[in-house]
Amino acid sequence: MQKAVVVMVMLTIVTPVQALTCGAPSTPISTVQGKADKTPLSGQTMTVEGIITLDLRQPGGFEGFYLQQAPTEQDDYPVTSEAIFVHTRVSSGRSGDRVRLRGRAGEYYGLTSLSQVNAVSVCGSPGLPPPVVFHPGEAPADIRESLEGMLVHVDQPLAVTDTWNLARYGELVLAPEVQWVPTQLQPPVPGLTRHLDAQEQERLLLDDGQRRQDPRPVPWPTGNLAPDNPVRVGDRVGPLTGILDYRFGHWRLQPLEPPGFHSTEPRSPAPVRHENANLRVASLNLGNLFNGNGQGGGYPSPRGARSHDAYQQQLARLTAQIAAMDADILAVSELENDGYGAQSAIAQLTEQLGEHWRFVQSSTDSHSDAIRNGLLYRPDRARPVGAPQLISQGAFTDWHRPALSQTFELPDGSQPLTIIVVHLKSKSCRNAPPMQQATGDGQACFARARADAARELARWVANRITDQTAVLLTGDFNAYAMEDPLRILAESGYQDLVRDFHGLHTRTFRFHGRQGTLDYHLANHSARKTVLASHLWAVNAEEPRVWAYDAHSSFELPAGYIWRASDHNPVITDLRLAPR
């Protein structure tokens, strides 16, 4: 008897995709964005129709496109946007096409969007809608929200104010003008930190439409970043046309086409020595020069280079930059505090500079900080007079590195010049006790400690050095030009040489896209009479950090590449000391 064969048929119930009929009633995009209460319709599924303005479905892109309501279909409600971002890998449609789709509304890192799209119907190719003119400096958050995802045009070039994430995320921070630390230009007062919020409101990130980190090539400037094609803070970008986008807490512009870049302050060689000068003094924050154990091992160091190769690159680039300054005396900070033996950081820096260089050795350098100040000099151009001294008492007992003092004169004799190298406590709030916390006046943390150190410096000099002796305070004061330490020292008779020669709109450092001076040469009355010129060399702070020795860059830099060898710009002063 033949066996019966039982066939089991498994049925899959398929829910048909709703037909996407072009021109049929659909939900206005402004309704998806939210109307009176500006609350997007999160979680709801709806059908929309509009024009693709920017397609970012390329490999590594944002996996979607921006969709904008056609001009004739936009409503007259000004507080909500007429555009939205659509997350989809469906390949239908391209920029300028009118499409219809169905998706689920939601928020994605602050960006209103549609997702779960399984079909996109092309309904024609009308081309891009006209962009809305957008002025970042005049657009508060409400205006920006009303333009979120829309095609906009910025008709005036914007200034690059920060390059910190350029090589990490392909971002540049733009603003109508470069932005200053408030206390660089005005005295600290309660509530001054409100200016920081106003600056943030003016910013716009130029983005590259990519999800990936560490993009290579780096997209900006147009033509791709390269050692001989940099983008520097202060460069102008634009005009710009693109999508006003909001992601990860920042307003961005995703450009339709690569914008033009215009250099406003191109790279320049080191300042030329004044023709009548017989002494040049330079100071530089070395950006943590640590050499491991000094014999090729001991890495990673507590600070600075993470490997011997990185240290060798750092040392070569710093010495090339120093050599270009043609200084006779060099004051340095952020130098490893590892003694003065042949394997010490200061000994290796001096050796790298060449046979004409020597360093000042303090006999009482016993402080425990990881970094210290240093003095180097060329004995064929200047010679030490007397023993060096450390200022480590009083206010210098805590927080600050001891200041190093040494008197010099010309090799054939001259009036003496005492140089004191300073590095005061930073503005970082880490481990700040209650009395050193920020007060909102713009000086950040440890302002009281820095003010006390300025008073201690003035007292120390007054008690040990006559008014007739020329004194030059140099180094990293970690205070901007109008902050308390500079005011206190000015009241004690010390003149800010950079300010004297160039005014307040100067910078040696940038932090979070704001600029100002932290590094100074301050001269007493006797020293001021000998000064012929004082300069800042824009060789470090303007350059992207991807060039830094510790940035793990994939760029091959030329040997002795001087740009961004540190994160501070050097200060250079030319003097004429009278013969004895």
Side-chain angles (χ1 to χ4, degrees):
M1 180 172 146
Q2 188 175 10
K3 291 184 179 179
V5 178
V6 179
V7 178
M8 300 187 65
V9 179
M10 301 192 61
L11 300 177
T12 301
I13 299 175
V14 179
T15 302
V17 176
Q18 181 176 344
L20 298 175
T21 304
C22 293
S26 61
T27 303
I29 291 176
S30 62
T31 301
V32 184
Q33 289 280 6
K35 278 206 169 184
D37 61 359
K38 303 181 188 177
T39 302
L41 303 179
S42 295
Q44 299 189 32
T45 300
M46 56 201 66
T47 301
V48 296
E49 192 168 320
I51 300 171
I52 296 177
T53 52
L54 181 61
D55 189 350
L56 295 175
R57 289 173 288 184
Q58 74 276 16
F62 288 158
E63 295 185 344
F65 53 79
Y66 297 88
L67 189 71
Q68 184 166 324
Q69 203 82 65
T72 57
E73 298 168 346
Q74 295 180 8
D75 61 31
D76 57 358
Y77 201 71
V79 300
T80 49
S81 170
E82 301 287 345
I84 198 164
F85 185 75
V86 179
H87 279 282
T88 182
R89 294 183 181 178
V90 176
S91 60
S92 302
R94 60 183 182 180
S95 293
D97 285 351
R98 180 184 177 96
V99 298
R100 188 177 183 88
L101 57 92
R102 186 168 176 80
R104 185 181 180 89
E107 289 281 315
Y108 183 77
Y109 291 100
L111 176 72
T112 305
S113 61
L114 289 172
S115 60
Q116 299 181 24
V117 175
N118 56 18
V120 176
S121 296
V122 178
C123 303
S125 298
L128 296 178
V132 178
V133 176
F134 174 63
H135 300 289
E138 303 170 7
D142 284 350
I143 292 178
R144 293 184 179 210
E145 288 216 17
S146 71
L147 298 174
E148 180 188 300
M150 293 183 65
L151 184 60
V152 299
H153 177 69
V154 182
D155 54 7
Q156 295 296 319
L158 301 177
V160 176
T161 196
D162 194 8
T163 63
W164 187 256
N165 281 327
L166 171 60
R168 182 62 169 159
Y169 298 114
E171 300 171 352
L172 281 178
V173 180
L174 308 179
E177 302 294 338
V178 291
Q179 296 181 333
W180 295 88
V181 175
T183 49
Q184 176 68 21
L185 305 178
Q186 56 186 300
V189 294
L192 193 59
T193 51
R194 289 195 298 267
H195 288 239
L196 306 181
D197 295 332
Q199 289 174 335
E200 291 286 346
Q201 292 298 317
E202 292 186 340
R203 294 182 176 186
L204 187 65
L205 269 65
L206 180 66
D207 207 350
D208 65 349
Q210 297 284 335
R211 291 181 296 110
R212 62 187 180 190
Q213 296 181 7
D214 303 317
R216 296 296 183 270
V218 177
W220 316 121
T222 299
N224 300 329
L225 183 73
D228 58 354
N229 186 40
V231 56
R232 288 163 53 91
V233 173
D235 287 354
R236 290 277 173 175
V237 184
L240 294 154
T241 300
I243 303 300
L244 184 62
D245 185 22
Y246 186 83
R247 294 170 187 267
F248 306 105
H250 297 284
W251 287 99
R252 303 160 184 268
L253 188 117
Q254 310 290 347
L256 262 59
E257 301 290 342
F261 280 72
H262 316 281
S263 178
T264 58
E265 187 179 327
R267 290 170 168 176
S268 62
V272 176
R273 182 190 291 249
H274 193 284
E275 59 183 2
N276 294 324
N278 56 15
L279 188 70
R280 168 168 274 200
V281 178
S283 62
L284 177 62
N285 182 313
L286 298 174
N288 289 309
L289 183 64
F290 279 61
N291 69 342
N293 61 13
Q295 302 177 67
Y299 296 96
S301 298
R303 299 190 185 190
R306 307 294 293 173
S307 68
H308 183 62
D309 287 345
Y311 163 70
Q312 292 286 76
Q313 180 195 116
Q314 180 190 19
L315 183 63
R317 293 176 59 195
L318 283 170
T319 53
Q321 190 176 106
I322 292 166
M325 291 188 276
D326 189 30
D328 308 324
I329 299 172
L330 176 68
V332 297
S333 56
E334 291 197 10
L335 174 73
E336 184 177 7
N337 183 24
D338 62 346
Y340 294 98
Q343 309 304 327
S344 66
I346 194 170
Q348 292 187 355
L349 173 62
T350 305
E351 180 181 12
Q352 184 81 8
L353 284 171
E355 60 181 356
H356 295 297
W357 284 89
R358 304 289 184 272
F359 60 83
V360 170
Q361 178 173 340
S362 170
S363 59
T364 57
D365 192 8
S366 59
H367 68 95
S368 59
D369 200 297
I371 55 175
R372 67 169 180 219
N373 302 310
L375 273 169
L376 298 87
Y377 64 97
R378 289 189 52 159
D380 57 329
R381 299 180 180 179
R383 68 182 182 190
V385 178
Q389 300 182 69
L390 282 180
I391 306 172
S392 56
Q393 73 277 6
F396 281 86
T397 303
D398 297 315
W399 314 122
H400 318 288
R401 296 89 193 168
L404 174 62
S405 174
Q406 175 66 62
T407 300
F408 292 90
E409 65 180 14
L410 300 181
D412 295 331
S414 67
Q415 68 180 110
L417 172 67
T418 298
I419 296 177
I420 302 176
V421 195
V422 176
H423 188 191
L424 302 186
K425 181 71 177 74
S426 76
K427 296 175 176 290
S428 170
C429 292
R430 186 176 58 181
N431 300 324
M435 291 296 290
Q436 300 296 345
Q437 292 287 339
T439 64
D441 67 353
Q443 297 188 93
C445 291
F446 292 99
R448 179 174 297 203
R450 290 188 293 274
D452 290 343
R455 295 186 187 96
E456 188 72 44
L457 276 172
R459 281 195 299 268
W460 189 91
V461 173
N463 291 336
R464 289 167 175 80
I465 301 175
T466 66
D467 291 341
Q468 289 72 40
T469 301
V471 177
L472 192 64
L473 307 180
T474 70
D476 180 356
F477 288 71
N478 269 311
Y480 293 103
M482 297 294 284
E483 293 185 7
D484 289 343
L486 280 300
R487 174 186 56 80
I488 291 166
L489 289 167
E491 292 171 353
S492 300
Y494 291 89
Q495 293 179 258
D496 177 354
L497 297 180
V498 171
R499 180 175 175 180
D500 281 359
F501 282 89
H502 306 286
L504 285 173
H505 288 81
T506 54
R507 71 273 180 186
T508 64
F509 189 71
R510 285 185 168 83
F511 184 70
H512 286 182
R514 299 174 181 91
Q515 60 186 10
T517 47
L518 295 180
D519 309 84
Y520 301 90
H521 286 181
L522 308 177
N524 70 353
H525 181 68
S526 296
R528 182 64 184 88
K529 292 188 292 184
T530 72
V531 175
L532 301 176
S534 197
H535 316 271
L536 297 180
W537 185 19
V539 66
N540 293 322
E542 291 71 20
E543 297 278 332
R545 68 166 176 148
V546 69
W547 309 142
Y549 70 90
D550 59 348
H552 310 293
S553 172
S554 61
F555 288 89
E556 290 293 332
L557 298 176
Y561 190 73
I562 63 173
W563 307 101
R564 189 68 183 204
S566 175
D567 53 350
H568 290 243
N569 286 337
V571 186
I572 303 169
T573 296
D574 294 330
L575 310 94
R576 184 166 187 83
L577 301 183
R580 186 183 301 168

